[in-house]
Amino acid sequence: MFAQPLSNWLHRRGLHFSWVIVTLTFLTGLSSAAALGLPGALLQPLSKEFGWDVEQISSALAVRFALFGLMGPFAAIFMERFGLRNVVVTALTLVAAGMALATRMTQFWHLVLFWGIMLGVGSGMTALVLSAVVSNRWFDSHRGLVVGILTASSATGQLIFLPVGAWMIEHMGWRMAVLPVFLACAVMAVAVYLLMRNRPSDVGLAPYGAAPGAVVAPAPAMRVTLATPFKILAEASRSSVFWILAATFFICGLSTNGLIQTHFISLCGDAGLGPVPAASVLAMMGAFDLVGTIGSGWLSDRYDNRKLLLMYYGLRGLSLLWLPYSEFTLYGLSTFAMFYGLDWIATVPPTVRLTGATFGKEKAGMVFGWIFAAHQLGAAVAAYGAGRIRTLLLTYNPALFAAGAACLVAAAIVMMIRRPAVAAAAQAPSAKAA
């Protein structure tokens, strides 16, 4: 009803409707990221109210991360079969319902159901696979930049919602802090329903950047079943590139979502820093990551993606190894926020580009779904493992050292990937120009 008139109006002004899709996807990712990030600020309030220890709460959040990742390959199927709009609206509804229902919970299994299962499944359906699908369907050029913009939405969600949420927790209680995230997801569900379309051909367009006179009709849809992701996995698993990308992305999740996003506020609390200042540091990381991830998307269109990943993982590893020695001062945490934040999610655009170059455009979404599943399994390991370490040893330091060392391993093994011929050919002109 609204998409076609808006597309026509934009076309008369020289604008492509694909940027509306990017905006909707960005705001969807922002809302989902806010829902994923807020529970990290609630470890201590939930522990005080219900008597659950950090390890118990972390186990529920680990379920969320595992489902978040495992939904990836199947989200690509759902998008192919049911369309982007239907999948995204369903996902946002699940996330909004999970956030709202959690304010009424009284038992631990409620936490597992609402913030483990519902939040995990809902957010998993709108995870990074959505960014990969949108960039491949709606763009023939600037795909790296688009992926960078869309993956930066998680940083922006943290930037906007976490400090506000921490302030509301401190002054109004944790239940009121859930309200802004619930409203954001509900509003975005309505906006997506009204404006999101599945492919450029739905509004009579070719993908952005397509050659003049390109065919507007959609490409024949892949025949997909629930067995398709497993067939794609079996095929991809014969490539060493898949295992290297999956291993490095496992480490990526272990060192970001599972560790810092989940436990940073609790970690700062152990050092005597209140939740509002700690959330402000996370927001600072989000600001740097917004710049770093968009910049990474731009760089991934032009330079060797393996070398970018080498730099990102190496920098992250060194910053994690340094964090316990920062003394949690304003200077120390600001330095950590800058270096760690610049590459929090900057690893995504080069990983997506290497996946597409190795496995092809049609299979890239589902292959990346499995690679992203490894990312979230790493996050689940860190979410539970760091909580377990904190409960047993009363410190997070061993978890920080282990994650930092793992990042340095990832930086080393990513260079074992042979530069794909497709990527090399695409990047050669830019490299000469540079």
Side-chain angles (χ1 to χ4, degrees), residues 36-63:
L36 285 172
L38 184 62
L42 299 176
L43 293 180
Q44 294 180 1
L46 292 178
S47 181
K48 289 178 182 177
E49 178 169 337
F50 298 106
W52 306 325
D53 60 31
V54 172
E55 180 184 349
Q56 281 182 290
I57 301 171
S58 298
S59 67
L61 301 186
V63 171

Side-chain angles (χ1 to χ4, degrees), residues 77-139:
I77 281 188
F78 298 148
M79 290 172 196
E80 191 70 37
R81 176 169 290 185
F82 302 111
L84 292 179
R85 181 177 68 171
N86 293 335
V87 170
V88 174
V89 169
T90 301
L92 287 168
T93 302
L94 268 177
V95 172
M99 295 301 290
L101 289 171
T103 62
R104 312 303 300 169
M105 64 185 173
T106 57
Q107 304 293 325
F108 179 69
W109 69 267
H110 294 162
L111 178 67
V112 175
L113 175 61
F114 300 143
W115 283 359
I117 297 174
M118 292 179 68
L119 193 55
V121 171
S123 59
M125 292 167 68
T126 58
L128 297 179
V129 174
L130 175 61
S131 302
V133 170
V134 166
S135 65
N136 277 307
R137 283 190 185 181
W138 284 84
F139 290 83

